[in-house]
Amino acid sequence: MAWNEPGNNGQDPWGRRGANQGPPDLDEMLKKLRERFAGGSSGGGGGGGNGGGGKLIKGLLPLVVAGAVALWLLSGFYVVDEQQRGVVLQFGEYVTTTEPGLRWHMPSPIQTVERVNVTAVNALTERASMLTKDENIVDVSLQVQYRVRSAEEYLFNVRDPVRTLKEATKSAIREVVGKSDMDFILTAGREAVAAQTKELLQTTIDSYDAGLLVTEVNLEEATAPQPVQGAFADAIKAREDQERLINEAQAYANDILPRARGAAARDIERAQGYRESVVAEARGETARFKALLAEYKQAPQVTRDRLYLDAMNDVLSSTSKIMIDSDNGNSLMYLPLDQMIQSMGAIEGRRQSERNSSTDSGGGSPSSSTPYRSAYEDSRTRGRR
């Protein structure tokens, strides 16, 4: 019912009686509301309401506490990405390292989690002037690529792992350059210097247990100091020209030597063939002579006459001279000059063909084969006579 209806005893909503009491006091109303929610008690008509509010708050308090505890426990769940590892700390002390996935730990402030990326490759660059083994100064620019190998070592063993890696890089490259000559560093030794630096740097980092893995070391630049760069550039160019000329000479040798070996083998084969042919012809002449000797022993005069006639036939058929019987001949003679010229040309052509054939079969120059054939022909002629 309304507060001003009959039967309400004239009590307003603020606990006051009568209609002439005036507007309610705001400070008094706020005070009563605080007492009600605080569970306090006051005299008068508001005591029963305050007691009911206190009981309600006491009934909800366990639920609120349980909800807060549940939320606190749920806050212990965390997710570790595929490229990360989770390092669990209990009151700041290392406990364990967790793999990727959904994980749970005792919520803060009991335990906390540090996530460390172990797959990302980072890089740092170091540039400095260094003294070589032969007491020359060289400017070196070096890039080191690395990643985290052990998350717990990376977080706890070294205060600043990246700075430690940088200082170790300086030490390693200075040691390697100090043991190498300047020409070796500037020319063919760059890869060797980078490999030795990587090995030495990884050994140093492992001795610190910094939890880092050096994946690559690149010697980006290695030059002489600015005042002498021109002289070193000329020396490098001269060295490159030397290498180029050596390669060209080697290529020429590789081209000419097989040809020379092939020509030598061809000449050897021709000489072998010429030798076989001469030996075979000599054996044939020997066999013919032996057969002729047997016939000569049986009929010497007939064989002698036959040999003489054959020899004269061979000689006269290849000469331009004409024999005339002056005693029985006529006073008028006819000389066949045209036939004589043709026969002379045929004879010269046959001799030339014989010389060419002897050159081809001998496998060498005419001077190397003609003397043997001439001596052989002379021996045949003397044998026939």
Side-chain angles (χ1 to χ4, degrees):
M1 69 177 58
W3 65 274
N4 56 356
E5 291 183 359
N8 196 21
N9 298 324
Q11 186 175 359
D12 59 17
W14 296 277
R16 295 181 179 180
R17 297 182 179 272
N20 298 324
Q21 298 291 331
D25 188 358
L26 185 59
D27 293 336
E28 185 179 354
M29 181 184 65
L30 293 176
K31 182 179 179 181
K32 290 181 178 181
L33 288 175
R34 285 196 298 268
E35 292 176 353
R36 180 181 298 250
F37 285 102
S41 59
S42 61
N50 292 337
K55 292 180 179 179
L56 178 61
I57 292 175
K58 291 180 179 180
L60 294 177
L61 184 59
L63 297 178
V64 173
V65 173
V69 172
L71 292 176
W72 180 70
L73 294 176
L74 289 175
S75 66
F77 286 98
Y78 64 96
V79 177
V80 180
D81 293 339
E82 184 65 28
Q83 68 273 14
Q84 295 178 340
R85 296 295 182 270
V87 179
V88 181
L89 309 178
Q90 183 171 335
F91 298 112
E93 183 180 1
Y94 171 74
V95 176
T96 184
T97 301
T98 57
E99 298 295 325
L102 179 62
R103 305 294 176 180
W104 183 86
H105 68 90
M106 292 295 294
S108 180
I110 299 177
Q111 290 183 347
T112 58
V113 176
E114 293 285 344
R115 296 177 179 84
V116 179
N117 194 323
V118 296
T119 59
V121 178
N122 304 304
L124 61 87
T125 302
E126 178 63 27
R127 184 180 183 91
S129 297
M130 304 174 187
L131 190 65
T132 62
K133 180 181 179 181
D134 50 357
E135 297 183 355
N136 290 314
I137 297 177
V138 60
D139 295 335
V140 176
S141 178
L142 191 73
Q143 184 189 59
V144 178
Q145 298 179 1
Y146 66 95
R147 66 177 179 85
V148 178
R149 180 172 61 183
S150 175
E152 59 272 15
E153 292 180 358
Y154 176 77
L155 290 176
F156 300 110
N157 289 355
V158 179
R159 182 185 298 274
D160 191 347
V162 177
R163 183 176 178 181
T164 302
L165 178 64
K166 188 176 183 66
E167 297 298 330
T169 301
K170 292 180 181 180
S171 175
I173 187 61
R174 289 182 185 277
E175 180 176 348
V176 174
V177 171
K179 294 180 179 179
S180 304
D181 294 332
M182 186 172 187
D183 292 339
F184 178 75
I185 298 172
L186 297 181
T187 55
R190 293 195 173 191
E191 295 183 359
V193 170
Q196 294 176 13
T197 303
K198 177 183 178 182
E199 182 179 358
L200 182 59
L201 178 59
Q202 187 63 59
T203 302
T204 305
I205 292 297
D206 291 343
S207 66
Y208 296 154
D209 292 332
L212 296 177
L213 176 65
V214 179
T215 59
E216 192 68 31
V217 174
N218 298 319
L219 187 61
E220 295 181 340
E221 185 179 2
T223 59
Q226 186 66 29
V228 295
Q229 280 188 0
F232 273 95
D234 293 339
I236 292 174
K237 185 177 180 180
R239 190 176 294 108
E240 291 176 352
D241 292 340
Q242 178 186 6
E243 294 294 333
R244 178 177 57 82
L245 293 176
I246 291 175
N247 293 333
E248 291 178 357
Q250 188 65 36
Y252 176 74
N254 294 335
D255 178 67
I256 198 66
L257 287 179
R259 292 185 182 182
R261 292 190 182 99
R266 184 173 62 252
D267 292 342
I268 292 174
E269 292 295 330
R270 287 181 179 179
Q272 293 287 347
Y274 176 73
R275 185 188 67 177
E276 296 295 333
S277 65
V278 170
V279 171
E281 189 173 358
R283 289 175 180 174
E285 292 293 332
T286 302
R288 187 184 65 80
F289 180 77
K290 289 181 178 181
L292 182 62
L293 180 61
E295 296 295 331
Y296 180 81
K297 289 180 178 180
Q298 294 179 3
Q301 187 62 35
V302 175
T303 305
R304 187 183 300 110
D305 294 341
R306 183 62 183 175
L307 291 175
Y308 174 77
L309 293 176
D310 290 341
M312 293 302 296
N313 187 25
D314 293 339
V315 171
L316 295 178
S317 62
S318 61
T319 183
S320 60
K321 295 181 176 60
I322 298 174
M323 299 181 66
I324 301 173
D325 188 1
S326 60
D327 296 336
N328 298 327
N330 298 325
S331 59
L332 181 63
M333 294 182 297
Y334 170 73
L335 297 177
L337 297 178
D338 54 347
Q339 296 180 3
M340 292 172 62
I341 293 173
Q342 291 178 359
S343 62
M344 291 175 63
I347 292 171
E348 185 65 25
R350 185 172 59 183
R351 290 178 178 176
Q352 183 66 30
S353 63
E354 289 179 355
R355 285 195 295 267
N356 294 337
S357 63
S358 64
T359 302
D360 294 338
S361 62
S365 61
S367 61
S368 62
S369 60
T370 303
Y372 300 103
R373 183 171 293 276
S374 299
Y376 175 67
E377 295 292 340
D378 293 343
S379 64
R380 290 183 59 187
T381 305
R382 287 195 300 268
R384 289 175 181 177
R385 292 178 181 175

